[in-house]
Amino acid sequence: MATIKDVAERANVSISTVSRVVNGTATVAAAKRDKVLQVMAELKYQPNSAARALAGNKTGMLGIVANDLADPFFATLLKGVETEARQAGMQVLAACGHHDAEQEEAAIRSLLSRRCDALIVHSKDIPDQQLLDLLSECPVAVVVNREIPEIADRCIWFDNLAAGYMATKHLLAQGHQNIAWLGRNQNITDNVDRYIGFCNALGQAGIDHNKAYKAFGEATVEGGYQLAYELIRSKSEVTAIMAYNDAMAAGCLRALHELNYKLPDDCSVMGIDDVILGLVVYPQLTTVNYPVEDIGRTAVKKALALLADQQLEMTNHFSPKVVIRGSVASLRKSVLRKSGS
Amino acid sequence: MATIKDVAERANVSISTVSRVVNGTATVAAAKRDKVLQVMAELKYQPNSAARALAGNKTGMLGIVANDLADPFFATLLKGVETEARQAGMQVLAACGHHDAEQEEAAIRSLLSRRCDALIVHSKDIPDQQLLDLLSECPVAVVVNREIPEIADRCIWFDNLAAGYMATKHLLAQGHQNIAWLGRNQNITDNVDRYIGFCNALGQAGIDHNKAYKAFGEATVEGGYQLAYELIRSKSEVTAIMAYNDAMAAGCLRALHELNYKLPDDCSVMGIDDVILGLVVYPQLTTVNYPVEDIGRTAVKKALALLADQQLEMTNHFSPKVVIRGSVASLRKSVLRKSGS
DNA sequence: GTGAAAGCGCTAACAT
DNA sequence: ATGTTAGCGCTTTCAC
């Protein structure tokens, strides 16, 4: 591939002049500029980013650590990040943690090694202190979906507790009392917080959450399916299911269909996340919106502001919002229907 | 961040020695090696990839051009690419084309500029010749989901025509005759090929495809929904819908539910792609498997082989496979049910 | 086994 | 407005 030197020689100018034309860092005589531009095209010149990074001490790359790129949740986060980064002329370098502490660390290290100008980190498996330690090597790092007190101003998170609370409140408002919790069998903060929100709402309604129906499994469509299938067969008095996330809720819906439940009247189902899955199931899922794409964009904005040393004040805390669709019915209606059949 | 020089000084060795320890390119006396290792840890040394790339003339980066990272299809492709790349110790650099020729070109250029060792390209909007021209600047490029005669050996594609054909055959085998085609309103080869497959199957069954029911719209859940809704209301004699992809098929299912169709008996629906959406809808979608993740992995393997100058012979052509789930019923059953109601 | 030194392609002073 | 030059941090000969 052609280098800046090749271009300079062919255009009879110095490499500085070529550099100026490429970067627009200073004015160049029109004739020379045109000649350079022409030669660049002829030679299909593409500046070497490695050399640029080395000389200029910035790479123009934004690193992002996610868990699993195929998961709609991370894919959406990534999209938000990419959109915003591209607008700022930066490239996104993605590395996967695969829900594993060691791989998460390796992912961060490789991004560090690439000298990304900034890092957006989604990590659940590395302990706070170790993460802080790793990130201390990075000029700018923003943490998403996690709150670390020491760097609270560089954390962007979603209020999972409020999400669990609001979702459950919504179910209670529809008259449901026998509400089951379909949880995730993994103690990450998301899960714990949503569950606490669930318990709080129940407690406030005078329902003892210890007596609430609960089942725990994998946070996937399949996990939700299996859990719901078992639960409903043994506890037919349950009139509403609060799932940890939309994937589980979708599995849940499928199980109920298979058990010939008429939805949503025979049983209401509520999710949290608001991913695309909720739009394709029938009935469409009533859920709580988790603005992932927005979070991704905000994380990048924050990172860019930090890079530019602007103290740009912005929310780093996103609140949930209930999205009403078709999977939750009021209990009254359900009961009427049941007694009628 | 610490440099190789810092490490060398602190360990009382030359930078060459540090380099040797880091890369294992030559044996170093045990004592020195240990000292270097220790200092590296103390200083949290991370080799600067830019400098490495510049000096070593390879970046260890694999570039991938996709359209939209949030689309489950590309997300899965990306996952396959990432998995395979990571095993080979390479990092993935993603750039988006956003279904637009100019942006696709910009994406490729930026990847070229980054001096990726190899490129995996998914491009639909750039004409063959221009794409060849762009890729000629890249040491190794593999094209996915497209066949360009000049570089056929570096193309990995899926037989869309066979997919359309097999899917339609499946519908015909269930006795359906009034089959509607829910197509994409954009002439990319995928769409055209699948449609030709559809027509061929129909023709073989003695059905004039010109008279077949057709509707075209956006290849999304929403697009499928709207199209199906309109189509079914005006052409109730349709007993089966062949959708361009799973997303449209999912939208289709929703429309039918809303029209109070009993599925799959009142109307069968078939998709193509086999993405996660098909597992959450009810009934689960009968579709044709498109092994995207596999294609992603194969593309990387091919790229790596090319990099290593191995002439590794491998399939660069993936065939479809029908995946039978619950959204297609045999016509006989449907008719019986209809006359009985 | 180890160190010195020459680049890799570029940017950013610094001259002119 | 333009050219010269000194690095950026590393790999890789080439000597010893």
Side-chain angles (χ1 to χ4, degrees):
Chain A
M1 244 193 168
T3 70
I4 197 172
K5 211 174 139 198
D6 300 330
V7 177
E9 280 170 8
R10 184 121 163 212
N12 285 316
V13 295
S14 72
I15 59 168
S16 318
T17 300
V18 177
S19 176
R20 284 171 190 124
V21 172
V22 172
N23 300 296
T25 30
T27 40
V28 171
K32 291 201 175 182
R33 194 197 54 220
D34 292 348
K35 178 69 183 166
V36 169
L37 252 17
Q38 179 206 322
V39 173
M40 276 171 50
E42 279 171 25
L43 264 36
K44 298 184 192 173
Y45 171 68
Q46 297 284 351
N48 182 321
S49 304
R52 265 185 158 164
L54 198 52
N57 203 31
K58 58 172 194 274
T59 58
M61 292 198 301
L62 188 73
I64 172 164
V65 183
N67 276 323
D68 175 359
L69 295 171
D71 182 323
F73 183 87
F74 293 107
T76 309
L77 178 69
L78 185 54
K79 184 182 184 179
V81 168
E82 201 268 346
T83 309
E84 201 65 34
R86 196 162 33 89
Q87 277 177 21
M90 298 190 73
Q91 192 111 25
V92 173
L93 192 57
C96 293
H98 299 274
H99 300 283
D100 171 273
E102 255 180 67
Q103 292 192 56
E104 270 182 16
E105 179 173 346
I108 296 178
R109 280 196 191 287
S110 76
L111 257 21
L112 247 28
S113 194
R114 296 281 173 203
R115 297 294 188 279
C116 291
D117 295 335
L119 246 47
I120 309 289
V121 180
H122 182 292
S123 161
K124 294 283 181 191
D125 295 290
I126 299 180
D128 276 17
Q129 194 48 56
Q130 193 189 348
L131 189 56
L132 283 170
D133 225 50
L134 273 169
L135 297 186
S136 69
E137 293 302 298
C138 186
V140 169
V142 173
V143 174
V144 291
N145 296 352
R146 175 165 178 169
E147 209 196 0
I148 300 181
E150 289 89 337
I151 51 168
D153 57 317
R154 282 174 285 150
C155 290
I156 310 229
W157 54 287
F158 174 71
D159 195 338
N160 279 294
L161 199 148
Y165 179 81
M166 287 170 63
T168 311
K169 273 291 218 191
H170 179 69
L171 252 18
L172 289 164
Q174 305 307 308
H176 295 280
Q177 301 265 342
N178 298 335
I179 305 176
W181 171 255
L182 231 62
R184 176 175 191 168
N185 59 0
Q186 200 182 122
N187 277 339
I188 65 169
T189 52
D190 297 34
N191 186 19
V192 175
D193 287 351
R194 290 178 188 186
Y195 181 62
I196 295 176
F198 169 76
C199 293
N200 287 355
L202 246 41
Q204 226 173 60
I207 301 173
D208 183 357
H209 69 258
N210 289 310
K211 292 194 191 143
Y213 307 89
K214 293 164 213 158
F216 296 88
E218 266 196 63
T220 60
V221 176
E222 206 47 37
Y225 170 77
Q226 283 165 9
L227 253 34
Y229 201 90
E230 291 306 315
L231 181 94
I232 287 300
R233 286 208 306 182
S234 58
K235 319 274 186 199
S236 61
E237 68 272 28
V238 166
T239 65
I241 297 177
M242 178 67 237
Y244 161 68
N245 68 3
D246 283 1
M248 293 187 89
C252 208
L253 250 22
R254 203 177 94 212
L256 295 172
H257 270 125
E258 281 189 20
L259 290 166
N260 279 317
Y261 269 55
K262 180 156 168 31
L263 300 180
D265 294 342
D266 290 353
C267 185
S268 292
V269 174
M270 178 129 196
I272 299 181
D273 273 358
D274 193 13
V275 293
I276 190 173
L277 297 186
L279 293 171
V280 301
V281 294
Y282 185 80
Q284 288 193 311
L285 199 62
T286 292
T287 184
V288 176
N289 177 255
Y290 191 146
V292 222
E293 189 169 340
D294 238 26
I295 289 181
R297 302 178 69 130
T298 305
V300 176
K301 277 187 203 143
K302 175 138 257 165
L304 294 175
L306 251 28
L307 270 179
D309 250 328
Q310 295 166 232
Q311 261 326 79
L312 187 57
E313 262 329 302
M314 46 173 67
T315 32
N316 44 9
H317 162 185
F318 283 77
S319 296
K321 247 177 74 181
V322 172
V323 178
I324 295 180
R325 291 202 279 252
S327 67
V328 172
S330 82
L331 183 64
R332 206 177 147 276
K333 216 169 128 198
S334 309
V335 167
L336 283 178
R337 196 197 155 281
K338 273 198 176 173
S339 59
S341 66
Chain B
M1 243 192 168
T3 71
I4 197 171
K5 211 174 138 200
D6 300 329
V7 176
E9 280 171 9
R10 183 123 163 208
N12 286 313
V13 296
S14 72
I15 61 167
S16 318
T17 300
V18 177
S19 177
R20 283 172 191 125
V21 172
V22 171
N23 300 296
T25 29
T27 41
V28 171
K32 292 202 175 183
R33 194 197 53 219
D34 291 348
K35 178 70 184 167
V36 169
L37 252 16
Q38 179 206 324
V39 173
M40 277 170 52
E42 279 171 26
L43 265 36
K44 296 183 194 174
Y45 171 67
Q46 297 284 351
N48 182 321
S49 305
R52 265 185 158 163
L54 196 52
N57 203 31
K58 59 174 193 275
T59 57
M61 292 199 302
L62 188 73
I64 172 163
V65 183
N67 276 324
D68 176 359
L69 296 172
D71 182 323
F73 183 87
F74 293 108
T76 310
L77 177 69
L78 185 54
K79 184 183 183 177
V81 168
E82 202 267 347
T83 309
E84 201 65 33
R86 196 162 32 88
Q87 277 177 22
M90 298 190 74
Q91 193 111 27
V92 173
L93 192 57
C96 293
H98 300 274
H99 302 281
D100 172 273
E102 255 180 67
Q103 291 193 56
E104 270 182 15
E105 179 173 347
I108 295 178
R109 280 195 192 286
S110 75
L111 258 19
L112 246 29
S113 195
R114 296 279 173 204
R115 297 293 188 279
C116 291
D117 295 335
L119 248 45
I120 309 289
V121 180
H122 182 290
S123 161
K124 294 285 181 190
D125 295 290
I126 300 180
D128 276 16
Q129 194 48 55
Q130 192 188 347
L131 190 56
L132 282 170
D133 225 49
L134 272 169
L135 297 186
S136 70
E137 292 302 299
C138 185
V140 168
V142 173
V143 175
V144 291
N145 297 351
R146 175 164 178 170
E147 209 194 1
I148 300 180
E150 290 88 337
I151 52 168
D153 58 317
R154 282 175 286 151
C155 291
I156 311 233
W157 54 287
F158 174 70
D159 195 339
N160 279 295
L161 199 147
Y165 179 81
M166 287 170 64
T168 310
K169 273 290 217 193
H170 178 69
L171 254 16
L172 289 164
Q174 306 307 309
H176 295 280
Q177 301 264 341
N178 297 336
I179 305 175
W181 171 256
L182 230 64
R184 176 176 191 165
N185 59 0
Q186 200 183 120
N187 278 337
I188 65 170
T189 51
D190 297 32
N191 186 19
V192 175
D193 287 352
R194 290 178 189 187
Y195 181 62
I196 294 176
F198 169 76
C199 294
N200 287 355
L202 246 42
Q204 226 174 61
I207 301 173
D208 182 357
H209 69 258
N210 289 311
K211 293 193 190 142
Y213 307 89
K214 292 166 215 157
F216 297 87
E218 266 196 64
T220 59
V221 175
E222 207 46 39
Y225 169 78
Q226 283 166 8
L227 253 34
Y229 201 92
E230 291 306 315
L231 181 94
I232 287 300
R233 286 209 306 183
S234 60
K235 317 275 186 200
S236 61
E237 67 273 28
V238 165
T239 66
I241 297 178
M242 177 68 237
Y244 161 69
N245 68 3
D246 284 359
M248 292 187 88
C252 208
L253 250 22
R254 203 176 94 211
L256 295 173
H257 270 126
E258 281 189 20
L259 290 167
N260 279 317
Y261 269 55
K262 181 156 168 34
L263 299 180
D265 294 342
D266 290 353
C267 185
S268 291
V269 174
M270 178 128 195
I272 298 181
D273 274 357
D274 193 15
V275 292
I276 189 173
L277 296 187
L279 293 172
V280 302
V281 293
Y282 186 80
Q284 288 193 312
L285 199 63
T286 292
T287 184
V288 175
N289 177 256
Y290 191 146
V292 222
E293 190 169 339
D294 238 26
I295 289 182
R297 302 177 68 130
T298 305
V300 175
K301 278 187 202 145
K302 174 140 258 166
L304 294 175
L306 251 28
L307 269 179
D309 250 329
Q310 296 166 231
Q311 261 327 79
L312 188 58
E313 262 328 306
M314 46 172 68
T315 30
N316 44 8
H317 162 185
F318 283 77
S319 296
K321 247 177 73 181
V322 171
V323 177
I324 296 180
R325 290 201 280 252
S327 67
V328 172
S330 83
L331 183 62
R332 203 176 148 277
K333 218 169 126 199
S334 308
V335 166
L336 283 177
R337 197 197 154 280
K338 273 197 176 174
S339 58
S341 65

